[in-house]
Amino acid sequence: MGLNRIRFDAASHRYSNKNKSLLPRYLQAMKTRKIFGVSLSLILINLAAIMERADENLLPAVYKEVSETFNAGPSDLGYLTFIRNFVQGLSSPLAGVLVINYDRPTVLAMGTFCWALSTAAVGASHHFLQVAFWRGVNGFGLAIVIPALQSFIADSYMEGVRGAGFGLVNLIGNLGGIGGGVLATVMAGQQYWGIPGWRCAFIMMATLSSIIGFLVFLFVIDPRKTISIPRDTRESFERDELIERSSSSASSVWTESWTAMQAVIKVKTFQIIVLQGIVGSLPWTAMVFFAMWFELIGFSHNSTAFLLSLFAVGCALGSLIGGLIADRLSHTYPHSGRIMCAQFSALMGIPFSWFLLKEIPLSVSSYHTFAVTIFMMGLTISWNGTAANAPMFAEVVPVKHRTMIYAFDRAFEGSLSSFAAPLVGILSEKMFGYDSKSIDPVKGSVQEASALSKGLLSMMAVPFGLCCLFYTPLYKFFRQDRENARIASAKEAEMT
């Protein structure tokens, strides 16, 4: 007897059967997997988030060494970030299509192996164009991973605590970012077995990412499939599932994908969050130059690593705190609480950017001022994703469209905000007089640091203000989109 006679809805535990004697066994198996399988899955998903964030921070942490190795200026380094982010943005919708045909652990593993390969290849590259090509491949891998990861988290937490769920993942992921950035920055000034330290850091991170990807493929359970099937019915179920999959043609898969894309793009909340995200992502893309900026001021590799770690810790704690505060506010103000948190966080980016880049003297004697400022900055400007964007996306579309909405958000935000990094380099060189040839490899150059800080400020303060402003229409549209999604989900539940 196969599952064609007993049907379970994992989300609501509804069932219809012709043999109720099997019901206790199914419910007990479901409970067991929920307790053990989902918790193990979340652990491995968090490890994947750690490696993803560490991989993102690797190259910016060694910009100075890469600049010296390949004789590249800030605009060239900005193009590397642009290539990765642009390819990532254009490729992100593919994640939504893949999730229709494969379970998310398989999609996550595919993306992880892709970015691991590209990370190792960057470490082995001997020409700048090779680095540029493999950064594009890296963006393709991240495009597959990030939307699937976000929808996985959205399905793993209830509506009222999603902010905390996303905040926890961001907290843990940022720890990986700290590890990746610190590891690369500290190793960059050394040599291991005659190989430059920054290359060793890339190869080591690629190896760890491959291991995590393999574990995700083997052990992670999709939240949509948390029912454990008894052994005597598993073969029948697998046979039924294969027949069902083979009966669906490629054209029907693309039709379903196209329908999902249209449904997502028409949601007003999605349009508004993407609009603010395009502008709001510009400062974060520009921040990849922070490590280079601190080293130009004259800070050592270790001091730079510590300052960047403080910023990452601030962002990690801020994302969790922001998610918790937004969850609490959403109980009192269900249609506006998350929006208020996001606007506050975006607004705080203006004074902190100004003070960090304009008011603090560019000297190693300002170390403690830099440390306090950059920590508090990270603590307050990192709320948007966990407090508002990610939880709200999960509430304005039916469950089956969640991966697609996260994928399209990455597509628009990632591709358009990717221009920020090369713009910082171009502004620093063409408008503010940055000259890479006048930099002392050990002491840096305060003059070039000043030019770079002006380029950074122009890509941070104004976008933060616009981001805050662009959230405002959500006060009108979020409530209606939320109700529409609930009605659509209820209709789907009635049809199953």
Side-chain angles (χ1 to χ4, degrees):
M1 178 175 54
L3 280 187
N4 57 329
R5 296 200 176 184
I6 296 182
R7 297 179 182 177
F8 281 83
D9 186 326
S12 60
H13 297 179
R14 291 187 306 273
Y15 69 92
S16 63
N17 62 36
K18 292 186 179 181
N19 190 345
K20 294 186 178 181
S21 63
L22 287 181
L23 178 59
R25 295 174 60 189
Y26 273 87
L27 292 180
Q28 183 60 39
M30 182 188 302
K31 183 178 179 181
T32 302
R33 177 164 283 191
K34 187 172 184 179
I35 293 173
F36 295 102
V38 172
S39 61
L40 175 61
S41 296
L42 286 176
I43 290 171
L44 291 173
I45 287 296
N46 284 325
L47 288 175
I50 288 174
M51 299 310 301
E52 178 263 320
R53 199 64 59 86
D55 184 84
E56 285 187 351
N57 287 359
L58 269 182
L59 186 62
V62 295
Y63 263 175
K64 186 171 180 289
E65 287 69 28
V66 172
S67 175
E68 294 168 358
T69 302
F70 298 102
N71 193 27
S75 58
D76 297 319
L77 298 175
Y79 284 128
L80 292 180
T81 299
F82 164 76
I83 290 168
R84 190 202 69 185
N85 289 356
F86 192 71
V87 172
Q88 180 181 341
L90 292 181
S91 305
S92 289
L94 180 62
V97 177
L98 288 173
V99 167
I100 293 175
N101 297 288
Y102 305 97
D103 62 354
R104 280 175 291 192
T106 303
V107 175
L108 288 168
M110 290 166 56
T112 303
F113 289 136
C114 186
W115 97 52
L117 171 65
S118 62
T119 299
V122 168
S125 296
H126 293 284
H127 301 283
F128 186 81
L129 288 179
Q130 292 175 340
V131 177
F133 172 79
W134 287 113
R135 290 301 284 173
V137 176
N138 186 265
F140 181 79
L142 292 175
I144 297 173
V145 169
I146 294 176
L149 184 66
Q150 288 179 313
S151 65
F152 190 102
I153 297 302
D155 289 349
S156 299
Y157 290 90
M158 300 294 291
E159 182 176 308
V161 294
R162 282 203 184 101
F166 280 105
L168 181 61
V169 172
N170 270 273
L171 172 65
I172 296 171
N174 275 318
L175 294 178
I178 295 170
V182 170
L183 177 72
T185 305
V186 172
M187 292 180 67
Q190 310 294 327
Q191 282 207 350
Y192 303 89
W193 307 287
I195 302 173
W198 71 268
R199 295 184 183 275
C200 293
F202 272 74
I203 294 171
M204 184 170 68
M205 198 62 63
T207 303
L208 292 174
S209 297
S210 299
I211 294 172
I212 296 300
F214 185 66
L215 293 175
V216 166
F217 178 73
L218 288 181
F219 299 112
V220 169
I221 303 167
D222 198 309
R224 297 176 301 192
K225 300 180 179 180
T226 55
I227 305 172
S228 182
I229 305 167
R231 191 177 189 87
D232 57 349
T233 62
R234 185 175 298 150
E235 292 181 2
S236 180
F237 169 71
E238 291 174 350
R239 187 166 53 251
D240 294 342
E241 185 179 37
L242 287 172
I243 293 173
E244 182 180 350
R245 286 191 177 184
S246 62
S247 63
S248 61
S249 63
S251 61
S252 65
V253 170
W254 284 107
T255 300
E256 185 178 353
S257 302
W258 178 247
T259 302
M261 293 176 192
Q262 289 180 311
V264 165
I265 292 174
K266 290 178 181 178
V267 178
K268 291 290 185 182
T269 297
F270 169 78
Q271 296 171 3
I272 295 165
I273 292 180
V274 166
L275 176 62
Q276 70 75 33
I278 291 171
V279 179
S281 297
L282 294 176
W284 293 95
T285 307
M287 289 177 199
V288 297
F289 284 101
F290 271 0
M292 184 178 184
W293 181 61
F294 282 127
E295 291 176 354
L296 287 172
I297 293 172
F299 291 114
S300 66
H301 284 91
N302 290 343
S303 297
T304 298
F306 183 74
L307 288 171
L308 294 178
S309 298
L310 281 177
F311 181 63
V313 168
C315 290
L317 293 174
S319 63
L320 179 58
I321 292 170
L324 291 170
I325 292 174
D327 284 345
R328 182 64 61 88
L329 274 180
S330 68
H331 290 296
T332 308
Y333 307 102
H335 306 299
S336 60
R338 297 192 183 278
I339 306 168
M340 290 188 287
C341 286
Q343 287 189 305
F344 167 79
S345 183
L347 191 63
M348 293 304 293
I350 300 174
F352 275 112
S353 298
W354 182 270
F355 186 73
L356 177 70
L357 298 167
K358 191 75 174 177
E359 299 300 325
I360 303 177
L362 300 180
S363 169
V364 293
S365 62
S366 304
Y367 181 78
H368 293 96
T369 308
F370 278 120
V372 173
T373 302
I374 203 166
F375 175 77
M376 294 303 298
M377 182 179 178
L379 196 65
T380 53
I381 69 172
S382 55
W383 295 16
N384 297 52
T386 57
N389 299 2
M392 290 169 72
F393 277 152
E395 296 178 30
V396 296
V397 294
V399 175
K400 67 178 183 179
H401 291 164
R402 280 179 182 163
T403 301
M404 191 66 75
I405 196 170
Y406 291 119
F408 266 85
D409 173 56
R410 287 290 82 214
F412 288 108
E413 289 190 28
S415 58
L416 295 177
S417 67
S418 59
F419 289 94
L423 280 176
V424 169
I426 292 170
L427 287 172
S428 301
E429 292 179 357
K430 306 298 183 184
M431 185 174 293
F432 302 119
Y434 182 97
D435 184 8
S436 57
K437 296 180 181 179
S438 62
I439 298 174
D440 188 309
V442 178
K443 297 180 180 179
S445 171
V446 173
Q447 183 177 352
E448 313 317 315
S450 176
L452 185 57
S453 66
K454 293 174 183 176
L456 283 167
L457 183 61
S458 47
M459 295 305 298
M460 290 177 65
V462 174
F464 271 130
L466 292 175
C467 174
C468 176
L469 181 64
F470 289 166
Y471 270 111
T472 306
L474 288 175
Y475 290 107
K476 177 181 179 182
F477 293 108
F478 174 57
R479 180 174 185 171
Q480 185 60 50
D481 289 337
R482 193 182 190 187
E483 294 302 320
N484 291 340
R486 287 178 175 176
I487 293 171
S489 295
K491 289 181 179 179
E492 289 177 5
E494 291 175 2
M495 294 175 62
T496 56

